[in-house]
Amino acid sequence: MDFLENLVSAHAFYVVPIFNSLVQGFRYRNSLPQNTSITRTKSYERYHEALQCILQLIPTGSNSLFVSLVRYMPHKRFNSADQAAYVKNILSVSEYVPVLRKQILGLVIDQMVQIDAQIQIELDEMNEDVEFDVYNLNFDEDYDSEESDSGDEDDENISDSESIDSEASDNGKEERNDSIQEIKYMVRKLDAMMNLTFQYFAKCATTASQDVQSEIFYALVDIFDRAVLKTLKSRYTQFLLFYFCSLNVNIYSDYFLEHLIQHIVDPLKPNVTRVAASAYISSYVARGKFLEPNTIQRVVLTLSSWCESYVNQYEHQVQSLDCKKHDVFYAVVQAIMYIFCFRWRDLVLDKNELDMEEDLEEEEISEEHRRLTHPEAGFGSGVSHTWCVGLRNLPRLVMSRFNPLKLCASSVVRQFAKLARNAHFMYVYPILEKNRDIFVPGLENANILQTVQTFFPFDPYRLEGSRVFVDNIYFEWIADDEDDSDEEDSDEEEDDTEDDDVTSGMMAMSISPSPTHYLQ
């Protein structure tokens, strides 16, 4: 180490090759020299110590260091040990080179997004049960080469066909087995990388200053906008931001919600961004166990108010249903219904809030809302509820010429109809019945709205090694406790038809065809 310090002090030219050599040492070594007492963990510590000494002598070397970090980032097809060891080490670098913190987080998350999206693509093409194992993150143990995630770890340009060329002549069953094995390897890699990043965030939450935590959060939001938001096949990477928001709900979570709302209401944003933001805000509010009822009500009020303004401005132009022209509107209405399905209990006013609502002018409640939502409308039985003001204009949105119940995701619409009836909020089954006879031209063609309708970013987290960081802050689906009530027997037969497979309907709210098959 003294030699390295003397070398860079005398000849700064050697800084770059020294950085390259030290960073290359962050990679996982498949084998260690025999008869040595030095473990991989100890060697990593020495590499970090040497790197810190060099940076103290050459403070301006951080840019050259980041170039080296990018250069030696393992290809996404490299095995779990190589990915995990490198991620752990470069996250450690960010602790003593804070100027590179945002760039290092971006480098790690970009890698995870690529693996995450590839897993989902592979799962979409399969119909097999897959059981996943977990990498133990003990770098001092030898990694089983027979279960290596890549055939040749020195070849960063390896292709899918090359990785299985030795089995190209096997039958279809063997090819499926190879695909399953490859998916298992990718999931294990992603799980290990997520686990290490969660650990890094948890450590920052307890040891880092508030300024450092805020810097990490705003860096995550920027990375989210750039690499995650429009990646509609990402299933787990977004949980990093989900977790970090839970660390400071009043600041981070509120900022993230406002950030998504700004994406939605900004007409200058591309529609794909606005529609994707609608999917994210609905799934985030539905699944964030740490969100207070007043926050959920505020989000619903903001979304419904925007929808009402949109109806006021454009409804008179509607001659026929057009999911492409009004895709943002349909995405936002679907977001409101999705939030209602999961958090309707938090949208009911308590006694104090009810006293405030009674002070509102009577004429503010529309006759249409009263007819569809008040108990005297003649649907259901039992206790009625007083709903938050954000739901007050929802009947108008549903009854508008845009007819969102026809163009929003059928699984969301069916569940909303069922819960809205059971909770005595709305009775929309007559609208659903009429919609069966409505034909929408071009509805079968691929478009942004249809793509996002099956995209629920915060679906249940199934990575076993890292889910411990998510379980306590995640809101699970609560089955309606009135499913077995007698009111179903008194309603029309077609209502019962709509209620079939409700649970499976909610499970269909997923970016994968069947999460219970692939991720349990």
Side-chain angles (χ1 to χ4, degrees):
M1 195 173 300
D2 291 338
F3 171 74
L4 293 179
E5 293 180 6
N6 293 331
L7 184 60
V8 298
S9 297
H11 303 283
F13 167 79
Y14 290 104
V15 170
V16 172
I18 289 175
F19 279 162
N20 289 337
S21 179
L22 293 176
V23 170
Q24 197 169 10
F26 293 156
R27 302 281 288 271
Y28 180 85
R29 296 182 63 178
N30 289 327
S31 60
L32 295 175
Q34 295 181 353
N35 303 322
T36 181
S37 60
I38 303 299
T39 63
R40 293 184 181 87
T41 301
K42 186 63 177 179
S43 66
Y44 294 148
E45 292 175 356
R46 291 182 175 180
Y47 283 123
H48 285 292
E49 184 180 356
L51 193 56
Q52 292 180 69
C53 290
I54 301 301
L55 289 171
Q56 288 177 357
L57 294 173
I58 313 293
T60 59
S62 56
N63 290 334
S64 299
L65 173 59
F66 183 69
V67 173
S68 298
L69 294 176
V70 174
R71 177 177 298 156
Y72 290 102
M73 186 76 181
H75 189 272
K76 66 179 181 180
R77 294 185 59 82
F78 280 28
N79 65 41
S80 300
D82 212 349
Q83 301 284 352
Y86 197 79
V87 167
K88 181 178 177 61
N89 281 303
I90 65 175
L91 287 176
S92 297
V93 170
S94 71
E95 295 179 5
Y96 56 82
V97 192
V99 70
L100 295 181
R101 187 178 289 119
K102 180 177 180 179
Q103 293 94 314
I104 290 175
L105 283 174
L107 184 63
V108 172
I109 293 176
D110 283 344
Q111 182 87 326
M112 286 192 285
V113 168
Q114 292 183 45
I115 298 174
D116 196 359
Q118 185 62 35
I119 291 171
Q120 194 55 48
I121 292 173
E122 296 288 343
L123 286 176
D124 287 346
E125 296 175 353
M126 294 182 57
N127 188 22
E128 299 282 347
D129 292 346
V130 182
E131 296 181 0
F132 302 127
D133 54 1
V134 178
Y135 178 53
N136 61 11
L137 298 178
N138 187 346
F139 303 118
D140 293 332
E141 294 182 355
D142 290 337
Y143 189 76
D144 189 354
S145 60
E146 293 182 355
E147 295 187 3
S148 175
D149 302 353
S150 59
D152 181 4
E153 296 182 3
D154 293 327
D155 182 8
E156 297 192 0
N157 294 320
I158 188 169
S159 65
D160 291 344
S161 60
E162 290 172 340
S163 66
I164 59 172
D165 59 353
S166 63
E167 302 175 1
S169 60
D170 292 344
N171 57 32
K173 181 178 180 180
E174 292 174 330
E175 291 179 355
R176 286 195 300 272
N177 291 337
D178 292 339
S179 298
I180 293 174
Q181 193 72 359
E182 185 176 356
I183 292 174
K184 291 175 64 175
Y185 293 151
M186 288 191 293
V187 169
R188 182 167 58 185
K189 282 185 284 192
L190 181 62
D191 190 16
M193 297 169 74
M194 292 288 292
N195 198 342
L196 289 167
T197 311
F198 280 135
Q199 291 180 28
Y200 173 75
F201 290 161
K203 180 181 178 180
C204 291
T206 57
T207 62
S209 66
Q210 186 61 49
D211 289 341
V212 171
Q213 294 181 43
S214 297
E215 179 188 346
I216 293 175
F217 170 72
Y218 293 120
L220 285 175
V221 173
D222 289 342
I223 296 168
F224 170 81
D225 285 346
R226 173 181 58 80
V228 180
L229 178 58
K230 292 180 285 188
T231 306
L232 302 182
K233 286 295 183 180
S234 172
R235 176 162 188 161
Y236 295 111
T237 312
Q238 53 265 28
F239 275 92
L240 296 174
L241 187 53
F242 185 90
Y243 172 78
F244 209 93
C245 285
S246 72
L247 300 179
N248 192 329
V249 178
N250 293 331
I251 297 178
Y252 300 153
S253 182
D254 286 354
Y255 179 90
F256 182 55
L257 287 170
E258 181 63 26
H259 184 74
L260 291 174
I261 290 173
Q262 291 302 316
H263 276 314
I264 294 171
V265 302
D266 186 356
L268 300 180
K269 295 283 186 181
N271 277 13
V272 63
T273 299
R274 302 174 69 188
V275 172
S278 300
Y280 268 94
I281 198 170
S282 64
S283 193
Y284 180 82
V285 173
R287 297 297 194 173
K289 194 174 183 179
F290 46 85
L291 295 178
E292 296 293 334
N294 61 338
T295 300
I296 299 173
Q297 294 173 16
R298 186 175 70 250
V299 171
V300 171
L301 174 60
T302 302
L303 296 178
S304 63
S305 298
W306 181 86
C307 288
E308 184 176 34
S309 299
Y310 191 92
V311 170
N312 291 338
Q313 185 173 1
Y314 296 109
E315 185 177 23
H316 69 280
Q317 302 177 5
V318 176
Q319 301 297 328
S320 60
L321 299 182
D322 189 339
C323 58
K324 295 182 179 180
K325 184 177 181 180
H326 306 290
D327 50 2
V328 177
F329 171 80
Y330 291 117
V332 176
V333 174
Q334 177 171 309
I336 297 172
M337 292 190 293
Y338 187 80
I339 293 171
F340 181 90
C341 290
F342 278 87
R343 308 304 291 266
W344 67 267
R345 296 169 181 83
D346 294 314
L347 299 176
V348 177
L349 297 180
D350 60 25
K351 185 179 185 304
N352 293 332
E353 294 169 325
L354 182 57
D355 293 339
M356 295 176 61
E357 288 294 313
E358 289 176 350
D359 295 335
L360 295 175
E361 295 294 334
E362 183 68 20
E363 57 267 20
E364 290 184 9
I365 303 179
S366 68
E367 182 61 29
E368 184 178 45
H369 180 277
R370 187 183 304 282
R371 177 173 58 84
L372 288 176
T373 63
H374 278 45
E376 59 265 29
F379 66 90
S381 61
V383 179
S384 61
H385 305 289
T386 302
W387 302 94
C388 67
V389 67
L391 294 176
R392 186 161 293 173
N393 60 6
L394 191 56
R396 187 195 174 195
L397 305 180
V398 169
M399 298 292 292
S400 68
R401 293 182 181 179
F402 291 100
N403 195 0
L405 297 184
K406 176 64 178 180
L407 294 183
C408 290
S410 58
S411 58
V412 178
V413 170
R414 288 196 304 269
Q415 188 62 35
F416 172 78
K418 173 179 170 53
L419 289 176
R421 179 192 63 182
N422 290 349
H424 310 286
F425 172 55
M426 294 177 64
Y427 189 75
V428 299
Y429 282 106
I431 301 176
L432 301 184
E433 185 64 26
K434 293 179 181 178
N435 284 344
R436 293 178 180 178
D437 300 326
I438 297 177
F439 174 74
V440 181
L443 187 59
E444 297 80 8
N445 298 331
N447 57 68
I448 298 173
L449 179 63
Q450 285 185 317
T451 301
V452 178
Q453 277 182 343
T454 56
F455 177 63
F456 301 93
F458 298 108
D459 265 357
Y461 193 92
R462 304 299 188 190
L463 301 181
E464 293 300 326
S466 54
R467 66 180 299 171
V468 63
F469 292 95
V470 176
D471 285 346
N472 292 334
I473 60 174
Y474 189 79
F475 188 88
E476 296 284 354
W477 166 252
I478 300 176
D480 183 18
D481 55 6
E482 298 182 14
D483 284 350
D484 297 327
S485 65
D486 294 334
E487 70 172 321
E488 291 185 4
D489 297 332
S490 62
D491 289 330
E492 295 88 343
E493 294 182 0
E494 57 267 23
D495 294 350
D496 293 330
T497 302
E498 294 293 340
D499 287 343
D500 288 346
D501 300 326
V502 166
T503 300
S504 61
M506 292 308 294
M507 290 305 297
M509 295 184 185
S510 170
I511 57 175
S512 61
S514 178
T516 57
H517 286 174
Y518 299 133
L519 300 171
Q520 287 184 345

